[in-house]
Amino acid sequence: FDAKGLVDGAFPADISTDPVADGWAYTAATLQDLAAQIDVPVDELQKTVETWNGFCDNGEDVAFFRPADTMQKILEPPFYAMRCAPALLNTDGGPVRSPKAEILDPDGVPIKGLYSAGEFGSVWGHKYNGAGNVAECTSFGRIAARSLIAE
């Protein structure tokens, strides 16, 4: 992102108002200097920025399908870069599950014959504890089976 992007919220102010000083980002007056700091070939960084700015001009991110109203060109120094590394992605939530592993309708009434295990109706809500779903799958799988047999 660039200077305007920083002002417009490219980095969440509730995490840091100075992402460079706090160790979250790198900054430089030119793309060439930024490329040297983040150890990427200058021509690749320049091409990436040119491609991105073209997406912004056309109002369409054909690489990652980001919504057009969230796209902003990278033009104004200083320029910023942050490390992005692969990570596990997990979503939880969805339907609500009873202690018997029954899926509940919007009124909190069990839907006859509909049970769940694992992340479908997860006990974790929107907070994820690493490896928690393995135990959740086995626990609620067993609970669901027992509840169904009791029916």
Side-chain angles (χ1 to χ4, degrees), residues 27-98:
T27 190
T30 66
L31 290 176
Q32 294 82 358
D33 290 342
L34 187 60
Q37 283 187 53
I38 62 174
D39 196 29
V40 299
V42 173
D43 58 333
E44 286 184 23
L45 180 58
Q46 288 175 318
K47 185 174 181 177
T48 299
V49 170
E50 288 169 12
T51 300
W52 172 253
N53 287 343
F55 291 168
C56 294
D57 287 340
N58 294 326
E60 183 180 15
D61 176 358
V62 298
F64 299 104
F65 310 103
R66 183 173 170 165
D69 63 345
T70 68
M71 296 168 59
Q72 185 171 316
K73 291 176 87 169
I74 299 170
L75 298 171
E76 298 178 27
F79 300 102
Y80 296 86
M82 294 174 44
R83 176 178 291 280
C84 293
L88 296 175
L89 175 65
N90 188 71
T91 57
D92 289 319
V96 176
R97 177 173 52 210
S98 78

Side-chain angles (χ1 to χ4, degrees), residues 4-23:
K4 185 173 181 336
L6 181 63
V7 169
D8 290 346
F11 191 90
D14 61 332
I15 294 174
S16 172
T17 56
D18 190 345
V20 176
D22 291 338

